Amino acid sequence: MANHKSALKRIRRNEAVRLRNRYQHKTVRNAIKKLRNEEDKKAAEELLPNVVGMIDKLAKRNIIHKNKAANLKSKLASKVAAM
């Protein structure tokens, strides 16, 4: 167990941040899944900018790597374009 007051605070803070990151990551994964399962091209085109924005936000906060974000966006955009 930590001995310093600051270390105890850091443990609490890390747990809060971990839970927030996990929630945001799971939310984006669900949005990506919803977009991939979309059959209607018009609906997919409306969803795409929102999902891309969510992915960019994760990459900006280092929840996912920037290259992974770029790969996800590229695959989603090509899938929507091919509909």
Side-chain angles (χ1 to χ4, degrees), residues 42-60:
K42 186 170 179 151
E45 286 174 341
E46 289 174 8
L47 269 177
L48 185 64
N50 294 332
V51 175
V52 166
M54 293 167 83
I55 293 170
D56 283 336
K57 198 175 280 189
L58 285 186
K60 184 176 83 174

Side-chain angles (χ1 to χ4, degrees), residues 9-23:
K9 183 176 180 181
R10 197 72 220 158
I11 289 169
R12 289 194 309 270
R13 176 92 180 100
N14 286 343
E15 181 63 15
V17 169
R18 184 184 74 82
L19 291 175
R20 187 179 319 122
N21 287 346
R22 201 172 93 184
Y23 171 77

